[in-house]
Amino acid sequence: MPHPITNGSAGEIHLLLGNEAIVRGAIEAGVEVVTCYPGTPSSEAPDTFYRLSPDGQYSFEYSVNEKVALEVGGGATLAGAMTLVTMKHVGVNVAADPLFTLTYIGSPGGLVLLSADDPGCHSSQNEQDNRLYARMAGLPVFEPSTAQEAKDMARDALLLSRELEQPVLLRTTTRLNHLRGPVELGEARQPRKVPTPAKNFRRFVPVPAVARARHPVLLENLEKARSLAESSPWNPVSGDGGVGIVASGISRAYVHDVLEAEGRREKTRYLELGFSYPLPEKACLDMLENCSTVLVVEEGEPVVENELRTLAQRHGLSTTILGKGTGGLTRLGEYDSGLVRRAVDLALGETPAEVDNCQAPEGLPLRPPNLCAGCPHRAAYYAVRQVFGDEARYSSDIGCYTLGLLPPLSAADFLLCMGSSVSAGSGFSLASDEPVVAFIGDSTFFHSGITGLVNAVFNHHDVLLVVLDNHTTAMTGHQPHPGVETTIHGANEGRVDIETIVRGCGVTQVATVNPLNLKKTVAALEEMKSMRGVRVLIAREPCPLHARKLLGKKGKRTAFVPETTDSVRDCVSRLACPAFRVDGEEVSVDENACSGCMVCLQITTDIKTKGTA
């Protein structure tokens, strides 16, 4: 069935998620190649491309990590293809190496990097503001604040990149990625690759002599972008009051809400930065010269605020510039209309109004981060705890399995970044006498765990690595990776086997188990505990959600508790499966939640099974 994102006509209005709107914008620009590594809050953008790819006029791939995604995208744009590369903010750290050189050699076909930042750490390990990356690497920046802008800016960013032959950053934040709003569609352009540039090592092979010559070209292109930003419709000015407001990103939407109330528009002059870098200095200077006070509203770091302070100092202006520290505007978390209203009131010299925010009802039950019922990672962690207990240090990684950090599983003692568990565990082992067990998922193993494993073998580290292979990238939405059985296009004929890779890396102490078989898993762990050097245990069992959704597998049996005994209570306290229901002293099993893994039956014979095998 035709989908409006790929087949909708100009003028139609659809209610789209911010990430979906970005997909439509790219199609309206005529995007030809899309590469990505999934990561919340960006995931719905590549997932939508993936879902629509059988009917799309673009090539799409989930790459094994962000660096590879940008390198594949970089190669495509060098061949003349209009290209979009998507990732979450910390993914740009992984892709930074090719990024900083790609801005030197340029992007003949056009290339936009979608960086989805996450103020407030809703699903991330930090709050980094990737507008700073844009300034370091030399990337013009677009920052949408509505679903309509997400669509239109994705389109315009790609067209600008092709025009300048310069990569462009589309910077979004969680609220924009996940809001839903009306989007009027534009005309979709037919993909049209520009001719592949002639061979030219003086541009495309950045040996030092070439890099030195290309750096001035990058700076010239940024000045062209600055000139375009000065007159861009994405940087409008409204109002002529004596107090200025400058805002970027989703903060622009909050400022609009605030200015709609109680005549604030008449008192203010408002500069919106949608095309926020290079800074449109003339527009900013006009604001600084004509306003006694200027308030800067931006989530994350004081990037625009500091640039305005520099601009004012350079021109000898005494304008009062407010920003971080005003009315609760901080470098922490997300902003909202209430917070911005308080800051605007203070900038106007008014007493901040009390904002009556909705409060959550009292007494709501707390829900700690938890692995799903039937998750095979829970069984693996349980087995590891049976063998190592608190004797070992557990090096964790990025994925569902990080949820094993709380008691009773307590399977995460430290974590650095995606793919770090092997190497960080190696380092801990190097400096400690304690045994180290590192955990990594299958997708993360392909992402960047392999290099850590090679390093551990080469340097003779002493670490036990448990690869939690659930056959998918579960945490971000079940995206495929090189080890999966099937994809949206059918069977994965290029399937890459993890055990073969592990052995190919030089590991000789390798075993593969089904973690739902506790007896065999514990036995394998006991054997590896007595060994030294690099050992790898692969715990293979599909994520039950993935198995049901894509593989069509559904459990036919569930567990039940005929009588609550001490043995049952002990099982609940050690396994902590969310399918258990505890009512006072009584324990039962929620049959709707139970996936039929039957792990609890292996811990106590007082829990029985229902259904057919």
Side-chain angles (χ1 to χ4, degrees):
M1 180 178 176
H3 194 285
I5 290 180
T6 48
N7 298 94
S9 300
E12 292 180 9
I13 297 177
H14 294 276
L15 198 61
L16 298 181
L17 203 63
N19 279 333
E20 295 172 335
I22 290 169
V23 175
R24 172 66 189 191
I27 289 171
E28 289 185 9
V31 71
E32 295 161 285
V33 174
V34 182
T35 65
C36 78
Y37 188 78
T40 306
S42 73
S43 297
E44 294 87 357
D47 288 356
T48 302
F49 276 116
Y50 178 57
R51 193 172 71 250
L52 303 177
S53 60
D55 299 320
Q57 299 186 63
Y58 51 83
S59 297
F60 173 85
E61 75 167 45
Y62 287 110
S63 303
V64 294
N65 65 31
E66 296 86 350
K67 178 176 183 286
V68 174
L70 187 57
E71 289 165 347
V72 173
T77 192
L78 293 178
M82 182 178 283
T83 303
L84 177 67
V85 182
T86 78
M87 58 192 67
K88 67 181 295 179
H89 63 315
V90 290
V92 178
N93 301 335
V94 182
D97 199 359
L99 176 65
F100 276 66
T101 303
L102 191 59
T103 55
Y104 272 42
I105 63 179
S107 53
L111 183 142
V112 166
L113 172 61
L114 167 63
S115 166
D117 294 6
D118 188 16
C121 296
H122 292 282
S123 55
S124 309
Q125 62 269 47
N126 68 37
E127 292 188 281
Q128 72 185 48
D129 186 336
N130 280 355
R131 293 178 299 167
L132 295 170
Y133 260 121
R135 276 127 176 109
M136 278 196 293
L139 293 153
V141 178
F142 284 81
E143 293 185 75
S145 68
T146 66
Q148 181 73 51
E149 288 186 359
K151 190 270 287 182
D152 293 337
M153 285 191 185
R155 176 199 62 207
D156 290 359
L158 281 162
L159 296 176
L160 176 67
S161 176
R162 176 166 280 192
E163 177 187 342
L164 297 178
E165 298 192 10
Q166 196 67 43
V168 172
L169 186 75
L170 181 64
R171 189 250 186 176
T172 61
T173 52
T174 306
R175 199 62 49 181
L176 183 282
N177 294 104
H178 292 160
L179 62 77
R180 191 174 287 277
V183 176
E184 181 174 350
L185 306 186
E187 201 68 49
R189 294 174 82 234
Q190 287 295 312
R192 191 174 65 244
K193 194 164 88 66
V194 299
T196 301
K199 290 187 177 184
N200 180 3
F201 74 87
R202 296 186 187 281
R203 172 175 175 181
F204 298 120
V205 185
V207 293
V210 173
R212 283 192 289 271
R214 290 299 303 175
H215 197 179
V217 176
L218 167 60
L219 298 181
E220 289 168 12
N221 281 338
L222 285 176
E223 284 308 306
K224 291 178 186 173
R226 185 190 306 282
S227 177
L228 294 170
E230 295 284 3
S231 57
S232 172
W234 294 120
N235 296 332
V237 179
S238 57
D240 58 0
V243 173
I245 301 174
V246 180
S248 70
I250 193 69
S251 297
R252 293 191 290 124
Y254 304 142
V255 172
H256 270 294
D257 287 347
V258 171
L259 295 185
E260 284 304 314
E262 300 166 16
R264 288 187 177 84
R265 282 200 182 276
E266 289 73 33
K267 301 176 184 176
T268 57
R269 179 190 297 245
Y270 181 26
L271 168 59
E272 298 182 61
L273 295 177
F275 183 176
S276 64
Y277 183 77
L279 194 69
E281 291 191 351
K282 290 178 183 175
C284 293
L285 197 54
D286 183 63
M287 175 75 76
L288 293 170
E289 288 174 336
N290 289 286
C291 295
S292 58
T293 299
V294 172
L295 171 68
V296 184
V297 186
E298 54 185 332
E299 285 183 339
E301 299 299 311
V303 178
V304 174
E305 179 185 335
N306 287 342
E307 290 181 346
L308 287 187
R309 291 184 189 282
T310 302
L311 192 62
Q313 190 273 337
R314 213 164 66 217
H315 290 269
L317 300 174
S318 57
T319 313
T320 300
I321 298 174
L322 305 175
K324 302 301 179 191
T326 303
L329 299 180
T330 78
R331 295 165 63 185
L332 307 174
E334 291 188 290
Y335 289 0
D336 57 45
S337 296
L339 183 71
V340 172
R341 178 175 178 177
R342 180 179 174 83
V344 171
D345 283 343
L346 289 171
L348 290 170
E350 299 175 356
T351 302
E354 291 296 325
V355 178
D356 186 20
N357 287 329
C358 296
Q359 300 296 326
E362 294 184 1
L364 291 177
L366 298 176
R367 183 185 183 280
N370 202 355
L371 296 166
C372 301
C375 176
H377 299 345
R378 181 183 304 280
Y381 283 147
Y382 178 86
V384 169
R385 295 288 305 181
Q386 295 308 297
V387 176
F388 288 90
D390 290 331
E391 180 185 347
R393 292 295 181 120
Y394 299 116
S395 178
S396 191
D397 220 303
I398 303 289
C400 287
Y401 38 93
T402 313
L403 299 175
L405 81 166
L406 293 178
L409 301 177
S410 302
D413 290 320
F414 52 89
L415 185 160
L416 297 182
C417 63
M418 197 153 192
S420 68
S421 62
V422 194
S423 14
S426 296
F428 194 97
S429 171
L430 198 63
S432 164
D433 294 331
E434 298 178 56
V436 174
V437 180
F439 298 102
I440 195 167
D442 42 349
S443 181
T444 311
F445 178 80
F446 289 115
H447 177 280
S448 48
I450 296 172
T451 47
L453 183 61
V454 170
N455 182 73
V457 172
F458 174 66
N459 289 293
H460 308 291
H461 289 301
D462 182 18
V463 63
L464 167 58
L465 173 65
V466 180
V467 181
L468 300 164
D469 180 2
N470 64 4
H471 304 206
T472 188
T473 313
M475 179 166 267
T476 50
H478 301 276
Q479 294 84 5
H481 59 65
V484 301
E485 293 95 338
T486 183
T487 73
I488 197 170
H489 301 292
N492 178 17
E493 297 178 355
R495 186 177 181 187
V496 180
D497 180 63
I498 292 177
E499 181 169 335
T500 303
I501 289 180
V502 170
R503 293 188 184 279
C505 290
V507 182
T508 56
Q509 302 170 130
V510 186
T512 297
V513 297
N514 182 339
L516 300 185
N517 187 328
L518 288 183
K519 187 176 180 181
K520 288 189 176 179
T521 304
V522 168
L525 287 164
E526 291 280 9
E527 184 178 358
M528 288 191 167
K529 184 181 181 182
S530 64
M531 301 173 178
R532 290 293 175 269
V534 179
R535 296 141 284 159
V536 176
L537 179 71
I538 302 167
R540 297 199 75 230
E541 175 63 18
C543 162
L545 298 178
H546 172 70
R548 188 163 50 204
K549 178 180 172 186
L550 200 60
L551 306 179
K553 296 180 180 176
K554 188 176 180 182
K556 298 178 180 177
R557 299 178 299 167
T558 58
F560 82 102
V561 181
E563 181 185 2
T564 302
T565 64
D566 289 344
S567 176
V568 170
R569 294 190 192 94
D570 179 64
C571 175
V572 171
S573 65
R574 288 195 291 156
L575 192 61
C577 175
F580 288 124
R581 292 286 178 267
V582 180
D583 184 9
E585 293 295 312
E586 297 300 313
V587 175
S588 60
V589 172
D590 182 342
E591 294 184 15
N592 293 315
C594 179
S595 70
C597 71
M598 301 296 123
V599 169
C600 56
L601 274 71
Q602 300 170 60
I603 298 173
T604 170
T605 55
D606 289 345
I607 297 179
K608 307 298 182 184
T609 180
K610 267 185 178 177
T612 56

